[in-house]
């Protein structure tokens, strides 16, 4: 039975992914900073292994990985899903909040990936699946720090795909545009780009992409949704000025 450890498992994409892997017989490790929501999910999924975890705490990340592996006999897939978003005009977001976005979305992902490495080396089907975003295609207005954090996830994924590929560990990322989850629906500011691009995906769509990436051969970057796949293609074929113009048009207020 394969084993997956999920960060940010208690809501949205992480939660839908946990349910899908559970239905498919995987052994689950669920982690999230939100204790109550995590306990509720764990009781729904046969009291599977769960641990309250703040991914910015590197020591806690190490303990969580080791304890999950000890409990389940190892670790095959790490799904780095925990993340936060603060949409808004750059200058309206406090320095502290900008820093928190980078701390959770980038440093947190590094903490978990480092902690999981020795365990993944012992698996013969090891993979790290990172939640990047469509905002890692071109810097997105009203998402500046978030977008920067997802570019960092993209770079980490590309580098480790090559570095750890040599050790038999697959590393890839998922790049969806807007997904209907609490991250988006509960946001206090809504960028015009959200309504112009539309919110055409739900958490189950992304969970299916994660499952496919975990169980089949997958490329290093996995864009989701027809419109964004088209944007990715046009970004490759056209000069980057074209993507800039599109972004300028889509985000106008
Ligand atoms: P969500 O807000 O529904 O879930 C995020 C989860 O991360 C929550 O359960 C939250 O408690 C947890 N979390 C936050 N800070 C944490 C920390 N310090 N340590 C551990 N857990 C923490 O959001 P959603 O939409 O499910 O997002 C999941 C991932 O997908 C994020 O990385 C997000 O950036 C990414 N993503 C989301 C998109 C969207 O439109 N919703 C689009 C593209 C990517």
């Amino acid at each position: 039975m394969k084993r997956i450890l999920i960060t940010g498992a208690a809501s949205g994409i992480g939660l839908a992914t946990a349910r899908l892997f559970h239905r498919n017989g995987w052994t689950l490790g669920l982690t999230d900073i939100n204790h109550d929501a995590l306990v509720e999910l764990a009781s729904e999924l046969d009291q599977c292994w769960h641990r309250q975890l703040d991914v910015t705490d590197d020591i806690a990340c190490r303990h969580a990985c080791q304890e999950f592996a000890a409990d389940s006999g190892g670790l095959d897939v790490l799904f780095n899903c925990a993340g936060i978003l603060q949409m808004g005009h750059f200058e309206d977001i406090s320095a502290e909040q900008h820093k928190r976005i980078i701390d959770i979305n980038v440093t947190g992902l590094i903490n978990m990936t480092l902690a999981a490495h020795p365990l993944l080396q012992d698996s013969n089907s090891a993979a790290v699946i990172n939640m990047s975003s469509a905002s890692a295609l071109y810097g997105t207005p009203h998402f500046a720090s978030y977008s920067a954090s997802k570019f960092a996830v993209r770079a980490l994924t590309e580098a480790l795909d090559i570095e750890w590929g040599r050790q038999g560990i697959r590393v890839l990322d998922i790049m969806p545009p807007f997904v209907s989850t609490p991250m988006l629906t509960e946001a206090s500011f809504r960028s015009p780009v959200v309504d112009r691009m539309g919110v055409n995906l739900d958490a189950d769509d992304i969970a299916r992409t994660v499952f496919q990436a975990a169980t089949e051969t997958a490329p290093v970057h996995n864009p989701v949704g027809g419109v964004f796949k088209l944007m990715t293609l046009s970004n490759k074929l056209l000069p980057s000025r074209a993507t800039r113009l599109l972004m300028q048009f889509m985000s106008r207020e």
Side-chain angles (χ1 to χ4, degrees):
M1 205 184 285
K2 290 230 235 168
R3 300 143 299 192
I4 182 169
L5 185 59
I6 303 175
T7 69
S11 173
I13 294 167
L15 185 146
T17 303
R19 285 182 176 144
L20 180 60
F21 278 74
H22 182 259
R23 279 200 300 279
N24 282 276
W26 282 56
T27 300
L28 299 188
L30 309 174
T31 67
D32 201 289
I33 199 169
N34 183 338
H35 175 261
D36 292 351
L38 187 66
V39 168
E40 197 179 318
L41 177 64
S43 64
E44 174 195 320
L45 305 181
D46 308 329
Q47 277 306 338
C48 58
W49 188 95
H50 56 285
R51 176 69 35 90
Q52 182 180 23
L53 174 70
D54 179 348
V55 291
T56 64
D57 180 342
D58 62 328
I59 295 167
C61 287
R62 228 171 25 242
H63 287 156
C65 286
Q66 285 165 356
E67 284 163 30
F68 171 65
D71 192 74
S72 55
L75 172 65
D76 301 297
V77 177
L78 169 66
F79 179 36
N80 281 314
C81 186
I84 59 165
L85 163 71
Q86 174 86 55
M87 264 183 280
H89 300 105
F90 186 75
E91 64 280 14
D92 293 339
I93 297 171
S94 69
E96 194 187 334
Q97 191 58 21
H98 282 297
K99 182 175 175 300
R100 185 138 180 83
I101 292 168
I102 303 299
D103 282 349
I104 294 173
N105 296 6
V106 183
T107 312
L109 180 142
I110 292 174
N111 288 341
M112 277 307 281
T113 307
L114 264 179
H117 181 245
L119 305 162
L120 293 169
Q121 280 184 308
D122 290 339
S123 163
N124 55 17
S125 53
V128 178
I129 303 177
N130 295 326
M131 275 313 297
S132 182
S133 151
S135 67
L137 185 69
Y138 195 92
T140 310
H142 306 131
F143 288 78
S145 297
Y146 177 83
S147 186
S149 77
K150 295 303 182 181
F151 265 84
V153 171
R154 179 189 175 122
L156 284 159
T157 304
E158 288 174 355
L160 291 182
D161 162 53
I162 296 171
E163 247 184 270
W164 288 7
R166 298 185 184 118
Q167 304 173 21
I169 302 171
R170 294 190 302 130
V171 183
L172 51 104
D173 65 23
I174 313 291
M175 298 177 70
F178 303 116
V179 185
S180 179
T181 69
M183 173 177 279
L184 207 61
T185 54
E186 293 172 9
S188 52
F189 175 98
R190 194 166 169 99
S191 167
V193 78
V194 178
D195 295 319
R196 293 215 177 85
M197 269 200 79
V199 184
N200 302 314
L201 295 166
D202 63 27
D204 291 328
D205 295 318
I206 312 307
R208 279 191 290 276
T209 308
V210 176
F211 189 76
Q212 225 171 1
T215 52
E216 295 170 19
T217 319
V220 61
H221 299 304
N222 295 269
V224 189
V227 173
F228 182 61
K229 281 183 184 161
L230 210 62
M231 279 177 74
T232 311
L233 185 68
S234 76
N235 188 57
K236 276 186 193 142
L237 301 177
L238 301 173
S240 72
R241 207 158 45 92
T243 310
R244 180 183 181 279
L245 275 174
L246 180 67
M247 201 54 87
Q248 199 172 31
F249 177 76
M250 303 275 268
S251 64
R252 74 196 187 283
E253 293 181 70

